Amino acid sequence: MMTKVKEPKISIIIPVLNEATGIGRLLDRILGINSKYISEIFLIDGGSADGTLDILKDYNTKVFSSNRGRAAQMNFGAKKASGDILYFLHADTFPPDDFDRLIVDAYKSGAETGCFRMQFDSKNPILKFFAWLSRINHTLCRGGDQSLFIDRLLFEKQGGFNENYLIYEDSEFISRLYKETRFTILPQSVITSARKYRQKGWIRVQFHFGVIHLKNYLGAGPRELYRYYAQNLLS
């Protein structure tokens, strides 16, 4: 008699902070696929004050509150998760069709960690070019907006996200993963919001993100990166 092979399960972890405008659409998309691979969806709130928590009451998800900061929120969710695969997803990023199956297929083929390519919800040609770069398998082309899947044991071995980083936490973590394992870029694309570019202007945003990348490369620590970000993109 053949032994039935256990299918890997996915825990989705979504950090939220004042996401009332779009979190319902994201959850409608995820829950609408009726996945056999997704075992749980965690929403980790960092102190929303815009009605986000009221919206989440209408969905079959698990909602927790944690210290503010995406790194802290995602680590909190990971500690609660039971899935074989952790899938970290930003609240303004929409995964592709069959994303759950695509992740599981990659995982079963040996991919311990990886992400999707990315597209912006914008027709701006410059943003389209930046999104095109997400297909390149290099740390400079990585970011949290592309989402991240990772074997839970590998995540624990790496110690999770560095909570000293209030920005750049995804890039810092992924740079560690590149040193330890083969990082996989799946050919399908997530669709992420260009809202910050619309609010601040794409030239301004891209310039300052470029400076942040350069500062990190030259050895700036998390406090310096956040100080620069706060001065130039939060004002």
Side-chain angles (χ1 to χ4, degrees):
M1 181 177 178
M2 291 184 63
T3 302
K4 187 175 181 180
V5 178
K6 172 181 173 289
E7 289 281 9
K9 297 295 184 180
I10 301 172
S11 296
I12 299 179
I13 300 166
I14 306 173
V16 295
L17 179 64
N18 296 330
E19 295 290 350
T21 301
I23 192 63
R25 290 189 296 115
L26 174 61
L27 293 177
D28 286 339
R29 177 169 180 78
I30 294 173
L31 294 169
I33 66 175
N34 195 27
S35 172
K36 68 177 182 179
Y37 300 115
I38 298 172
S39 61
E40 54 200 6
I41 303 170
F42 291 161
L43 282 296
I44 314 300
D45 182 66
S48 294
D50 68 339
T52 295
L53 294 177
D54 291 331
I55 293 172
L56 296 182
K57 292 177 183 177
D58 295 331
Y59 290 91
N60 183 25
T61 61
K62 298 179 181 179
V63 181
F64 299 94
S65 295
S66 80
N67 293 333
R68 181 175 299 191
R70 267 205 298 250
Q73 290 168 242
M74 292 188 290
N75 282 343
F76 186 97
K79 289 176 183 177
K80 296 285 186 182
S82 61
D84 308 285
I85 306 166
L86 306 180
Y87 184 48
F88 297 98
L89 185 65
H90 286 186
D92 61 352
T93 297
F94 288 71
D97 293 339
D98 296 328
F99 73 94
D100 55 329
R101 178 185 59 79
L102 296 169
I103 290 171
V104 167
D105 286 349
Y107 181 81
K108 290 165 68 174
S109 297
E112 290 185 292
T113 185
C115 68
F116 291 99
R117 296 179 186 178
M118 183 188 70
Q119 295 178 6
F120 286 107
D121 62 348
S122 169
K123 295 181 180 179
N124 183 300
I126 305 300
L127 293 185
K128 284 186 176 182
F129 171 71
F130 290 138
W132 181 89
L133 295 175
S134 66
R135 70 189 59 211
I136 298 174
N137 201 340
H138 191 281
T139 53
L140 286 176
C141 299
R142 301 279 68 79
D145 287 335
Q146 299 159 23
S147 72
L148 173 71
F149 70 86
I150 182 170
D151 175 82
R152 182 164 58 86
L153 296 180
L154 176 60
F155 180 86
E156 294 171 355
K157 179 182 176 182
Q158 289 297 311
F161 295 93
N162 185 336
E163 296 183 16
N164 291 321
Y165 284 82
L166 298 180
I167 62 162
Y168 213 74
E169 70 288 332
D170 299 286
S171 297
E172 188 279 331
F173 182 52
I174 291 171
S175 69
R176 283 188 272 138
L177 295 177
Y178 264 84
K179 296 175 183 177
E180 297 295 329
T181 187
R182 180 176 61 86
F183 196 89
T184 299
I185 312 297
L186 299 181
Q188 297 79 13
S189 295
V190 299
I191 307 296
T192 194
S193 172
R195 59 185 175 179
K196 185 175 291 293
Y197 292 91
R198 286 190 283 266
Q199 292 167 357
K200 304 289 186 180
W202 69 265
I203 295 177
R204 177 185 178 187
V205 171
Q206 201 58 44
F207 171 79
H208 290 304
F209 278 148
V211 172
I212 289 170
H213 276 292
L214 179 61
K215 281 180 171 291
N216 178 75
Y217 177 77
L218 295 175
R223 289 185 179 180
E224 168 61 16
L225 297 182
Y226 182 74
R227 183 193 65 79
Y228 181 88
Y229 174 83
Q231 288 180 346
N232 294 283
L233 289 173
L234 286 184
S235 57

